[in-house]
Amino acid sequence: MDEFIQGFWIFAGNYWWLAFPILGMAGGAAKAWERSAKRRHERRIETLRLKAEIKTAQLEARNGRARRIGPAIVDTRASVAPNTLLERLFSEHDEITARWLDYELDVAKLIAFPAMSDGRQPLVAAFLRAKKTADALRPPSADSTVTERQVSEYLDAVGAYAVAFEIAEKDARRLRDSTFTEPERKRLDRAQQLLKVAVDESATQAERNIAYRRVRDELEGLILLSDEAVQVLEKQVARELTAPAAPAPEPERLVLPSSTNTPQTQTAAEPPAPLPASTKDDRETPR
């Protein structure tokens, strides 16, 4: 044991300068751990805030006092017929779905806000669950016979659906492409530029086809395009070029004969010119 301690002090005496880089590394590791702990705390606070916001919005929607940027939640305090209330809920439901499909089917928006189509994102996953619930509770039509409890459940589901979409959209616009690495972001930029060529009406069909294939290559492994989005994009790429309008034919010009360049000819239908009248011989007869 004494030999080990003695050897340690000999090593420390010879390599005492190693203490400085070791202390620097230890300090860097401590700062990195502190930053990581701070980010975890911020994410935890953000999650709690969003959960509280969703809960508050749901309560406001249930009480008819929803306050959102998007379409207004139906006010259940108003005295309306059940059919009219369902029609208003259907309109609200369809509007949210249309706004979501705008991200799903527009490849340009998918590239600009990829988090909106990523079901691994917690807020997007919450929105998809809310959509599934609202779709399941939706009555077949406004004329359907429904109970008051069914209408109330559907109202709550549409309110949660709307709030979940607003929060997921806001988070996706905040994140944009920050969840990708630098090389992946460059691929997304190239795909965005190539997409403009693929749908450019002034480009030739060959140029469109090449740009379309390169867009698919750049997005491979980064963004999963749905079959519906691919169909919409292919229709835009395969759209026929607008053919230029053919010029109107010029009216046929009739060339009339002219005395200066074309001799006038006498047609057979014209009567012959009269012969000159015979003149009396001026010679006198012999007497």
Side-chain angles (χ1 to χ4, degrees):
M1 185 66 179
D2 294 337
E3 293 179 357
F4 174 78
I5 295 176
Q6 184 178 3
F8 170 77
W9 286 115
I10 293 174
F11 174 81
N14 294 330
Y15 299 97
W16 57 269
W17 51 270
L18 291 175
F20 296 101
I22 291 175
L23 290 176
M25 293 171 60
K31 289 181 179 179
W33 181 87
E34 183 179 358
R35 288 195 299 267
S36 178
K38 183 178 180 181
R39 285 196 298 268
R40 288 195 300 269
H41 177 70
E42 290 176 351
R43 285 197 297 267
R44 190 178 299 111
I45 294 297
E46 179 70 10
T47 302
L48 293 175
R49 184 187 67 79
L50 291 174
K51 287 182 178 180
E53 185 177 343
I54 293 175
K55 186 65 176 178
T56 302
Q58 289 175 341
L59 292 175
E60 290 179 351
R62 187 175 296 112
N63 295 328
R65 297 191 304 271
R67 178 175 55 84
R68 300 185 298 106
I69 298 176
I73 297 296
V74 176
D75 187 357
T76 57
R77 297 174 299 176
S79 178
V80 294
N83 292 349
T84 304
L85 178 59
L86 284 179
E87 289 176 357
R88 293 166 62 182
L89 287 172
F90 287 168
S91 177
E92 169 84 358
H93 192 164
D94 293 340
E95 183 174 351
I96 301 167
T97 302
R99 293 174 62 189
W100 170 67
L101 286 176
D102 194 29
Y103 285 95
E104 286 293 304
L105 302 181
D106 190 343
V107 179
K109 275 194 171 184
L110 278 174
I111 298 174
F113 310 106
M116 197 61 190
S117 61
D118 188 357
R120 296 170 299 180
Q121 296 291 334
L123 297 179
V124 177
F127 160 72
L128 294 176
R129 288 193 298 268
K131 179 183 184 303
K132 184 177 181 180
T133 302
D135 291 343
L137 294 175
R138 176 170 179 154
S141 66
D143 299 330
S144 301
T145 302
V146 292
T147 64
E148 182 180 353
R149 179 179 179 181
Q150 288 175 318
V151 175
S152 178
E153 290 177 349
Y154 181 51
L155 170 65
D156 291 343
V158 172
Y161 182 36
V163 173
F165 176 80
E166 293 288 344
I167 295 176
E169 182 184 39
K170 183 178 180 181
D171 189 64
R173 289 182 173 271
R174 177 183 64 85
L175 290 174
R176 296 185 71 87
D177 59 357
S178 61
T179 58
F180 293 88
T181 63
E182 183 63 26
E184 291 173 340
R185 285 197 290 269
K186 290 182 179 179
R187 289 176 58 187
L188 291 176
D189 291 339
R190 287 195 297 268
Q192 193 74 274
Q193 297 300 323
L194 290 168
L195 182 62
K196 296 178 181 179
V197 179
V199 298
D200 188 0
E201 294 185 0
S202 62
T204 65
Q205 192 62 56
E207 291 172 339
R208 290 184 187 180
N209 294 337
I210 294 174
Y212 167 73
R213 288 194 294 268
R214 292 188 60 189
V215 168
R216 297 296 302 271
D217 292 340
E218 293 292 349
L219 297 181
E220 183 68 27
L222 298 181
I223 298 178
L224 178 61
L225 300 180
S226 64
D227 295 338
E228 293 79 6
V230 172
Q231 291 176 2
V232 171
L233 179 57
E234 288 180 349
K235 288 181 180 179
Q236 293 176 337
V237 173
R239 184 172 45 198
E240 294 183 1
L241 299 177
T242 303
E250 296 183 358
E252 185 178 355
R253 296 181 180 180
L254 299 178
V255 181
L256 299 178
S258 173
S259 59
T260 58
N261 52 13
T262 303
Q264 295 183 355
T265 59
Q266 185 177 2
T267 62
E270 293 181 354
L275 295 175
S278 59
T279 58
K280 187 179 180 180
D281 191 1
D282 293 333
R283 292 176 301 173
E284 295 181 353
T285 58
R287 293 179 181 178

